Amino acid sequence: MKSKKLIIGNWKMYPVNMKDAKATFSAIKKVASTLRNVQTVICPPFIYVSELKKLVTGHRVVIGAQNVWTENEGAYTGEISPTMLTSLGATYVILGHSERRAMGEADELINKKVLAAFKAGLTVVLCVGESMRDPDGLYMKFIATQMQTALHGVQKKDLSQMVIAYEPIWAIGKHATRPALPEDVLEISILIKKTLADLYAKDGATVPILYGGSVDAKNAWEFLLKSQVDGLLVGRASLDAKVFGEILLSADKVK
Ligand code: PEP
């Protein structure tokens, strides 16, 4: 996996209907299915997973989800289980996204979700990131702790199903204060590598690291080239098939 760039689209709670979801997915697939150096993953709202999976042909574009519950069945109103997702053909799940953390998800709950997702065979995209950068660098400790808690009990054997996405909250979404600079991302990509090495020795180096936050068609290549990341987690720009297609094309070219 590490030789291919991993580009994940987080569709959040868009598009507003199935027709648009299918049209956007098909347009993305047209580009993504031609690219040998990119693994594309689309994470739509749960309700679209099954229909979009029917449009998947081959392995260059696959389907993921944006959340999952800790158990495979039970009295958990409104939740979706890991095995429900795998039974529909989803292979990835985003966990610990800052928008879910803002709804009250703590690292301990995220850890339970990570373990349950692994057990079902899902690849976990664990999001970490600080809300602001303090001059003393305490945000580094914050990110390392997020990782250590969310990865509690994760074994070396699980690492082939693990991806870490650095998503600084200040650089994400409509309210981003400024885009992150490639050097901001490089600093944290080194921190993530070190934290993984502390936890898993050399096996930690196999875990792909992504950057997410205001990625667009103009800046995607810079993060991939200058920040030592293996791919990107893209929010808003993944809903525009033309822009996302350009991101995929630039990822395909970066060596
Ligand atoms: C996200 O929310 O995961 C994200 C990266 O958002 P955006 O690309 O829109 O900043």
Side-chain angles (χ1 to χ4, degrees), residues 68-214:
V68 78
W69 188 239
T70 59
E71 308 294 328
N72 280 330
E73 58 184 323
Y76 302 105
T77 302
E79 297 295 347
I80 305 281
S81 83
T83 48
M84 287 172 187
L85 282 182
T86 53
S87 73
L88 296 182
T91 46
Y92 283 74
V93 64
I94 298 171
L95 290 175
H97 192 280
S98 56
E99 288 159 7
R100 296 215 56 86
R101 291 177 188 266
M103 293 173 202
E105 265 190 37
D107 288 319
E108 290 71 17
L109 176 59
I110 294 162
N111 174 242
K112 287 190 185 143
K113 292 184 173 191
V114 167
L115 296 174
F118 280 149
K119 219 168 171 185
L122 289 161
T123 294
V124 169
V125 182
L126 173 68
C127 299
V128 294
E130 76 285 5
S131 55
M132 54 172 272
R133 290 200 164 196
D134 58 293
D136 299 325
L138 291 178
Y139 59 93
M140 301 244 222
K141 174 93 188 84
F142 178 80
I143 292 168
T145 305
Q146 279 187 322
M147 284 179 64
Q148 286 150 358
T149 315
L151 297 178
H152 186 74
V154 172
Q155 312 287 316
K156 281 184 181 175
K157 68 172 173 48
D158 302 319
L159 294 180
S160 60
Q161 286 167 248
M162 187 76 224
V163 176
I164 306 282
Y166 171 51
E167 293 217 315
I169 296 168
W170 50 266
I172 291 181
K174 276 196 270 218
H175 305 295
T177 49
R178 67 167 174 89
L181 301 171
E183 49 268 36
D184 297 325
V185 180
L186 174 62
E187 178 189 53
I188 302 303
S189 133
I190 293 167
L191 171 78
I192 291 172
K193 285 178 207 210
K194 185 185 174 308
T195 309
L196 287 168
D198 290 345
L199 290 169
Y200 303 108
K202 65 174 181 359
D203 297 80
T206 58
V207 176
I209 299 171
L210 311 185
Y211 167 68
S214 301

Side-chain angles (χ1 to χ4, degrees), residues 54-72:
K54 290 183 194 155
L55 301 176
V56 169
T57 44
H59 295 284
R60 289 183 181 167
V61 196
V62 296
I63 304 289
Q66 301 168 21
N67 185 26
V68 78
W69 188 239
T70 59
E71 308 294 328
N72 280 330

